Amino acid sequence: MRQAHPIEQAVGIEHYVSETDGVGGHLRDRDEHFRVRELERFATEPVDASTDAYPHLIFRATLRGWDTNDFARRLSNELGVSRERVSWAGTKDKRAITTQLFSVYGADPADLPDLNRAEIDVLGRAGRSLEFGDLAGNAFELVVSDPGEGALEQAEAITDELAAFAGLEGGSVVESGGEERPTTIGVPNVFGQQRFGSKRPITHEVGLEIVRGDWEGAVMAYLGRPTDAEPEDTQTARAFVEETRDWQEALERFPNRLQYERSMLHELAESRDDGSGEGESGDGDGSENPSPETFRNALERLPSNLQRLFVHAAQSFVFNRILSERLAAGLPFDRPVAGDVVCFADRDAPEGLELPNVDRSQRVDERRVRSVTRHCERGRAFVTAPLVGTETTLADGEPGEIERRVLAEQDLEPSDFELPGEFNSTGTRRAILVRTPFAVDADPLTFSFSLPKGSYATVVMREYLKSDPLALG
């Protein structure tokens, strides 16, 4: 098997599925080269419905060069309302043209402002706000800039390989304007690089330390561990705090743009000043070692969604490692073997989108392998692996051996995820294969496909580019 890029290996992605050389190039040369459209699944009432029963205004926004959080903040400021009144179903990247749903509590269509690089289409009203996950998936149209020679032929060969991995035969790339139906391809449903930090992939390292109960190790993983991808002043500050643990002096050295790191350093410095950080004593230079509770308090200064992200990234890393081990063992992704746990398809998914419902699952024993395989071939069932938490059910047989071996390698077990506050996680399972109809246009080299919510476009595109993960945007 072809080895993955070293940066990908660091987050648990060990191999490519396809052996063919990539087309090269990079994504996101311009905003219009990365288009994302939500596949909506949210019912609305007419816009003139009662505002008492349906107080949330629902609209579709097409945004160019807007980060979702920045747009919500700007919108709430223009409306003169709390940011908490604005909700959405999925966060999108800034360097793109995105089409997505938003809801605003207590707003009327006439209240919506005209914002630069934003087109707004009011859809109606609802009795509740949009919540994360109130979408079925996303449709993508991505342009590869500066591909190598023979890129289309290489894309065709890669598509054949990925169609075979999906459990289908004879796939070939077709022109999206042609008469043939797009080929369906499949890739391992790993978590993409952006889950862990594209330039500094350390969120899972912080999360692993948290789950192991090492609050100090978690803080130092976040504050220290400089990388070459960061500005020089940031690297210098991280190296300083690693070497000295002089929290007060580190505050002077950490750039103001690193707001989260500075917030943590304030907690550590204040604990020294008020004497609450008793622990190992230092040498009087401000480097006294705080208590484990103080290190935890420093982490809890961060936004709650970031606290959860650390643990989710740890779960994602373990998931990626399990899929890499399954691939290396030669076990199929498109169908079960004895011991696997499968989930079934969401019956309300849009046509043409395979959407797993992990709340409906079943363990597969030897007697059921053949019948469940037929369900998988028809897109009605999906093999899963764990996002480990306190309530996680591990597989049996060889798949279960892989899951337990990876957990042992990381010195983890499900009960370790019983943690305080935002860090606690009960866990779930996730489909190990994502399949999508796939089409390409040659000039410019443009890839079109759709994915269920929670799956990453870059996980598909990495197979085609085989470039440095930073080239995936």
Side-chain angles (χ1 to χ4, degrees):
M1 284 184 292
R2 184 167 184 148
Q3 283 198 325
H5 191 281
I7 293 177
E8 294 178 320
Q9 293 182 37
V11 297
I13 305 172
E14 301 288 342
H15 302 99
Y16 294 102
V17 170
S18 56
E19 296 287 349
T20 304
D21 289 344
V23 302
H26 60 275
L27 302 178
R28 300 181 193 268
D29 195 48
R30 298 197 293 269
D31 289 344
E32 59 266 30
H33 286 182
F34 202 104
R35 296 178 183 268
V36 188
R37 174 178 54 83
E38 285 185 350
L39 302 176
E40 300 166 0
R41 189 172 62 168
F42 189 81
T44 61
E45 300 296 326
V47 73
D48 59 357
S50 167
T51 55
D52 291 333
Y54 305 102
H56 298 272
L57 184 69
I58 310 297
F59 65 88
R60 182 186 297 125
T62 297
L63 309 177
R64 182 190 183 110
W66 276 102
D67 172 89
T68 305
N69 285 281
D70 290 343
F71 175 77
R73 189 179 303 110
R74 176 68 179 278
L75 179 67
S76 63
N77 288 342
E78 293 289 331
L79 291 172
V81 301
S82 166
R83 157 60 192 80
E84 298 302 317
R85 291 193 174 200
V86 182
S87 302
W88 57 91
T91 301
K92 303 293 186 290
D93 296 326
K94 179 177 181 178
R95 293 168 55 202
I97 295 179
T98 65
T99 301
Q100 61 187 119
L101 295 183
F102 287 88
S103 65
V104 183
Y105 178 80
D108 290 319
D111 298 334
L112 296 176
D114 290 327
L115 296 178
N116 188 33
R117 297 175 286 111
E119 298 176 10
I120 292 177
D121 179 21
V122 175
L123 301 182
R125 293 193 170 277
R128 67 172 179 85
S129 66
L130 283 162
E131 298 176 355
F132 190 75
D134 271 336
L135 73 164
N138 295 284
F140 297 90
E141 186 177 290
L142 311 182
V143 174
V144 176
S145 300
D146 302 321
E149 289 187 17
L152 186 61
E153 290 75 16
Q154 286 170 298
E156 289 175 350
I158 292 169
T159 299
D160 284 344
E161 292 185 80
L162 298 184
F165 187 75
L168 305 174
E169 295 293 333
S172 61
V173 174
V174 298
E175 296 286 331
S176 61
E179 297 181 358
E180 297 180 68
R181 295 184 62 186
T183 298
T184 295
I185 64 168
V187 297
N189 194 24
V190 293
F191 287 89
Q193 197 72 32
Q194 58 266 52
R195 180 72 160 186
F196 310 96
S198 296
K199 294 186 177 180
R200 185 170 175 256
I202 53 87
T203 53
H204 64 296
E205 296 178 5
V206 178
L208 288 169
E209 299 291 5
I210 290 171
V211 177
R212 293 171 184 141
D214 185 353
W215 301 102
E216 179 179 353
V219 167
M220 294 311 299
Y222 195 72
L223 293 178
R225 303 189 187 181
T227 67
D228 292 340
E230 296 180 293
E232 186 175 347
D233 58 345
T234 298
Q235 295 181 50
T236 301
R238 293 195 191 283
F240 173 82
V241 78
E242 273 193 334
E243 181 179 348
T244 69
R245 304 204 178 205
D246 186 336
W247 319 117
Q248 191 63 55
E249 179 61 25
L251 265 173
E252 301 298 321
R253 299 185 179 224
F254 268 70
N256 288 332
R257 65 179 177 272
L258 300 179
Q259 297 178 8
Y260 293 155
E261 286 89 340
R262 290 178 58 81
S263 178
M264 295 169 73
L265 286 167
H266 272 294
E267 177 69 31
L268 297 170
E270 289 166 7
S271 74
R272 177 177 61 82
D273 290 341
D274 64 18
S276 63
E278 295 180 3
E280 261 186 63
S281 61
D283 55 10
D285 61 357
S287 61
E288 289 87 349
N289 207 38
S291 66
E293 182 180 0
T294 300
F295 281 113
R296 174 183 150 191
N297 291 341
L299 284 166
E300 290 180 335
R301 278 213 177 191
L302 300 178
S304 57
N305 64 329
L306 183 53
Q307 294 177 42
R308 292 191 294 271
L309 177 61
F310 289 142
V311 175
H312 292 170
Q315 294 168 316
S316 303
F317 170 75
V318 171
F319 180 88
N320 284 359
R321 284 284 302 119
I322 289 171
L323 266 58
S324 291
E325 290 296 313
R326 184 180 181 111
L327 193 62
L331 296 184
F333 279 57
D334 61 305
R335 60 190 184 280
V337 298
D340 267 321
V341 177
V342 301
C343 70
F344 295 94
D346 189 323
R347 298 189 182 98
D348 297 325
E351 185 178 356
L353 182 72
E354 293 187 351
L355 182 60
N357 180 0
V358 294
D359 292 330
R360 299 174 57 229
S361 63
Q362 179 183 97
R363 192 178 300 274
V364 182
D365 58 25
E366 195 68 56
R367 295 177 296 111
R368 294 175 175 169
V369 167
R370 183 176 296 180
S371 62
V372 175
T373 294
R374 288 196 295 271
H375 285 300
C376 290
E377 291 170 346
R378 297 167 184 169
R380 298 175 184 171
F382 311 89
V383 181
T384 68
L387 290 169
V388 181
T390 56
E391 297 178 9
T392 295
T393 299
L394 298 180
D396 294 327
E398 190 172 358
E401 291 174 5
I402 291 173
E403 294 172 6
R404 290 171 176 83
R405 183 169 68 249
V406 170
L407 283 172
E409 288 173 357
Q410 298 300 320
D411 192 24
L412 296 176
E413 54 186 53
S415 60
D416 293 335
F417 289 81
E418 186 172 349
L419 295 161
E422 300 293 343
F423 302 112
N424 187 72
S425 180
T426 56
T428 185
R429 292 187 72 90
R430 171 181 169 95
I432 66 172
L433 175 71
V434 59
R435 290 192 292 213
T436 174
F438 190 86
V440 64
D441 282 323
D443 190 19
L445 189 60
T446 304
F447 297 90
S448 302
F449 54 94
S450 297
L451 298 176
K453 60 185 179 181
S455 293
Y456 291 76
T458 52
V459 166
V460 175
M461 295 307 297
R462 65 180 288 273
E463 292 282 349
Y464 284 89
L465 271 64
K466 294 189 173 72
S467 301
D468 184 317
L470 293 179
L472 299 173

